[in-house]
Amino acid sequence: MLVTERETPEGLLVAVCDEDVLGETFEGEGVSLTVTEEFYGGDAVDESATVESLARADVANIVGRQAVELAIEEGFVDEANVLEVGSTLHAQLLRMGRS
């Protein structure tokens, strides 16, 4: 998986995607999702490092079946809140009130 971390005024933003979806565009039910190098292109890391980044995230965008399924398994994302966009999955994480 590819992971990028950025500090923002809202806290730590983490972008995670499966390597095979980078550069792809997915469409479905009025939604278009482009997995850009600028936003999602990051370091290739293993599942453990991905989990560590998501644990620190205040906001996260997660794309790809493997990445989203990992986020579900680790309790970061509720499966009911996952979007299926074309042939991939997309989820967002927002933690409020952390200090």
Side-chain angles (χ1 to χ4, degrees):
M1 280 170 260
L2 300 175
V3 175
T4 301
E5 294 185 358
R6 296 175 181 87
E7 283 296 337
T8 72
E10 292 76 32
L12 182 65
L13 168 64
V14 174
V16 179
C17 75
D18 293 356
E19 290 186 55
D20 65 341
V21 301
L22 188 66
E24 299 292 326
T25 297
F26 300 92
E27 296 186 5
E29 297 190 32
V31 176
S32 180
L33 173 66
T34 301
V35 187
T36 64
E37 173 77 32
E38 295 79 22
F39 190 79
Y40 289 96
D43 296 325
V45 299
D46 62 15
E47 288 187 1
S48 176
T50 302
V51 169
E52 288 175 18
S53 286
L54 289 172
R56 291 191 307 271
D58 295 297
V59 179
N61 286 283
I62 308 159
V63 181
R65 293 196 175 275
Q66 182 183 4
V68 171
E69 288 172 4
L70 177 64
I72 293 167
E73 288 170 16
E74 295 294 327
F76 296 113
V77 173
D78 186 325
E79 189 171 6
N81 297 322
V82 172
L83 294 176
E84 189 161 351
V85 183
S87 62
T88 198
L89 300 178
H90 178 257
Q92 293 182 315
L93 166 68
L94 173 62
R95 289 198 181 93
M96 300 180 73
R98 280 182 27 166
S99 52

